[in-house]
Amino acid sequence: MNRDLRNIAIENSDDIIHEWLKEINLLKNVNYTMDISDKLYESNNKEFVNVIFSSIRENGSTMVVEEFSKKIIHLGWPLSYITDGLLVFRKVTLNTILNKLEEVDPAFIASVLSNVDSWVEPIIRHLVNEYSVSWEHIVSLQRIALQELSAPLIPVMDNITIMPLIGTIDTERAKFIMENLLEGVMRHNAEVVLIDITGVPVVDTMVAHHLFQATEAVRLLGAKCILVGIRPEIAQTIVNLGINFSQLPTKSTLKKGFMLALEITNKSIVEMDNKSQYFNEILGISKED
Amino acid sequence: MRIPILKLHNYLLISIQTELDDHTAIQFQEDLLGEIHKTEATGVVIDLTSVDVIDSFIAKVLGDVVSMSDLMGAKVVLTGIQPAVAMTLIELGIHLQNVPTALDLEQGLLKLHQELGE
């Protein structure tokens, strides 16, 4: 019985493919595959339907499906194309088989239904699995990339290090920031660390708490933290929330913070006096002119 | 186990290289204060580079030692606190607010030198 149904499906494969292509072409205009050329779409459809049939013929063998799924994931076909295609295939096959048979016994129809389902199901499951694995892979890669960007530490001078922070700070990231900060202070022998929060959109009590903890830990190591890049709106939020930043030196810009850091480390920027003279000499202008 | 206290000119140098238990810590506190009294040292550097664990009691003792030495006229600097130790202390809510710190022994001595104005 199972075999009979499969034979019917395979014998009528031309009809089914024809119907299926017609239906799937209707779907093309509806959404997702608008920007794919007609030729490519057609050839891919043919391959897809062949894969479905060979899977049915080989009794649910996943070899062909696996290869096909790798290929379409690589090419970036949307998952909805696959699921829609299989649903349409199911509908078309059911129609074809039921048309070919005269019997209208409910039990028989039920068995046809379950049979066709059992052809389509493994393919759908396999493809959806492959897709989700590929997505998870991408997400994990992006998470790593994000983590690499989340707490960079830049030594700009002997004993002066800058940590620019961009984006929202949550608990997990705060922990990562603190670890990186402390390791960096040890590694670079930093005396002053400038934490730049220009790129942090919101400073609420939680972010402030994390920043406090980080700076206190840095102080225990024997270095000093300066919080820079406090924008007007951030200053307003901080005061409105009643957060006390008085123990922590703060500056509005990185430039001002850097000057303070130079002061702490007993350094200063000296402008070269003879620079203008040097340029004048090059340009052949004498002082008297 | 007693922690050795070394004298260098006006300074006392202590490098803690063992796991500090409560008894050792108290013993150390007494020894150090005695030594300050005896040598009339003006500065003390306590180096914690090889200390991996500081619990709340040890932290309290260290804070106390700093205040006590201050009372006796000796400035104390803690040096070489490891990142992991600093994180644990902060998470425990121990901020050692009035304790001067420095990155390593060299910076610690420099800091003492600056603060004592010698």
Side-chain angles (χ1 to χ4, degrees):
Chain A
M1 159 91 175
N2 194 346
R3 187 140 291 281
D4 291 347
L5 282 175
R6 181 173 305 162
N7 284 337
I8 293 170
I10 291 168
E11 273 160 25
N12 295 298
S13 59
D14 286 344
D15 285 352
I16 293 175
I17 291 173
H18 183 71
E19 280 294 310
W20 186 79
L21 286 176
K22 218 157 74 187
E23 290 257 353
I24 203 86
N25 274 329
L26 287 179
L27 281 176
K28 176 177 163 63
N29 303 325
V30 180
N31 44 18
Y32 47 86
T33 41
M34 292 289 267
D35 48 350
I36 297 168
S37 75
D38 287 348
K39 211 169 156 194
L40 181 65
Y41 190 66
E42 256 169 51
S43 75
N44 200 66
N45 281 341
K46 281 200 183 105
E47 192 181 346
F48 186 17
V49 85
N50 282 336
V51 166
I52 299 173
F53 269 106
S54 57
S55 162
I56 294 172
R57 221 171 283 132
E58 285 160 37
N59 215 351
S61 148
T62 51
M63 273 295 285
V64 218
V65 182
E66 220 165 277
E67 252 172 51
F68 179 67
S69 65
K70 276 206 187 101
K71 191 183 144 201
I72 54 173
I73 287 172
H74 184 70
L75 292 175
W77 285 77
L79 178 61
S80 49
Y81 163 77
I82 303 298
T83 49
D84 283 354
L86 282 164
L87 289 177
V88 168
F89 175 81
R90 184 165 156 257
K91 193 173 83 188
V92 170
T93 316
L94 278 175
N95 280 342
T96 316
I97 293 177
L98 290 178
N99 279 340
K100 295 286 166 205
L101 299 164
E102 306 297 302
E103 294 177 69
V104 276
D105 174 18
F108 179 74
I109 293 177
S111 89
V112 171
L113 272 175
S114 77
N115 257 301
V116 175
D117 274 350
S118 77
W119 300 338
V120 176
E121 238 172 54
I123 305 177
I124 246 186
R125 201 175 296 137
H126 187 86
L127 284 170
V128 170
N129 265 347
E130 287 282 320
Y131 263 88
S132 59
V133 165
S134 123
W135 285 336
E136 274 160 23
H137 182 63
I138 291 169
V139 168
S140 71
L141 283 183
Q142 281 174 345
R143 183 188 291 267
I144 292 168
L146 203 62
Q147 203 169 53
E148 279 168 356
L149 293 174
S150 76
L153 203 66
I154 309 159
V156 283
M157 264 192 174
D158 287 350
N159 308 333
I160 301 178
T161 306
I162 297 176
M163 177 179 266
L165 295 178
I166 292 167
T168 321
I169 298 172
D170 57 10
T171 313
E172 196 187 339
R173 192 173 167 207
K175 197 156 183 281
F176 189 70
I177 287 172
M178 201 207 276
E179 277 169 22
N180 247 18
L181 196 59
L182 297 182
E183 293 292 335
V185 167
M186 293 292 274
R187 197 170 53 242
H188 304 305
N189 219 354
E191 210 173 307
V192 181
V193 186
L194 295 151
I195 302 178
D196 184 14
I197 58 165
T198 314
V200 179
V202 186
V203 177
D204 55 10
T205 41
M206 197 205 56
V207 173
H209 174 71
H210 287 312
L211 286 174
F212 255 131
Q213 287 209 321
T215 53
E216 282 288 298
V218 168
R219 194 183 60 81
L220 284 182
L221 290 191
K224 262 205 184 76
C225 271
I226 303 171
L227 202 61
V228 299
I230 299 184
R231 287 171 283 131
E233 59 267 33
I234 298 288
Q236 282 174 30
T237 354
I238 288 174
V239 172
N240 285 338
L241 287 172
I243 303 167
N244 185 7
F245 264 123
S246 61
Q247 290 157 17
L248 188 63
T250 51
K251 290 278 179 232
S252 56
T253 59
L254 183 60
K255 191 176 152 194
K256 284 182 185 166
F258 193 69
M259 293 321 256
L260 180 61
L262 286 174
E263 215 172 278
I264 292 171
T265 52
N266 278 331
K267 290 191 178 81
S268 66
I269 295 176
V270 180
E271 281 197 30
M272 307 284 280
D273 286 340
N274 52 0
K275 194 169 145 195
S276 56
Q277 201 185 328
Y278 174 72
F279 277 121
N280 285 345
E281 270 170 30
I282 288 180
L283 297 171
I285 305 165
S286 66
K287 265 248 161 94
E288 286 77 26
D289 289 346
Chain B
M1 172 78 199
R2 291 169 83 142
I3 292 161
I5 299 169
L6 313 175
K7 182 178 167 295
L8 179 77
H9 301 299
N10 294 335
Y11 301 143
L12 294 177
L13 306 181
I14 300 106
S15 170
I16 298 178
Q17 303 189 348
T18 52
E19 197 91 335
L20 273 175
D21 60 42
D22 296 0
H23 181 72
T24 320
I26 295 292
Q27 180 75 53
F28 164 66
Q29 178 182 319
E30 280 170 19
D31 287 357
L32 179 60
L33 295 178
E35 204 70 19
I36 291 171
H37 179 72
K38 205 170 80 191
T39 59
E40 294 177 351
T42 52
V44 178
V45 179
I46 304 177
D47 186 65
L48 301 167
T49 309
S50 17
V51 177
D52 296 325
V53 184
I54 292 183
D55 62 18
S56 49
F57 182 76
I58 303 296
K60 183 188 169 292
V61 171
L62 285 174
D64 288 352
V65 167
V66 173
S67 319
M68 291 167 184
S69 307
D70 239 0
L71 282 175
M72 295 182 67
K75 197 107 188 111
V76 181
V77 177
L78 296 186
T79 62
I81 298 179
Q82 295 298 311
V85 173
M87 265 156 83
T88 337
L89 287 178
I90 296 301
E91 270 157 28
L92 286 172
I94 303 161
H95 292 254
L96 294 174
Q97 210 64 260
N98 304 312
V99 182
T101 50
L103 211 55
D104 50 28
L105 182 62
E106 200 179 335
Q107 303 262 350
L109 284 172
L110 209 66
K111 193 161 187 166
L112 276 182
H113 193 72
Q114 280 169 356
E115 291 200 6
L116 296 172
E118 283 166 3

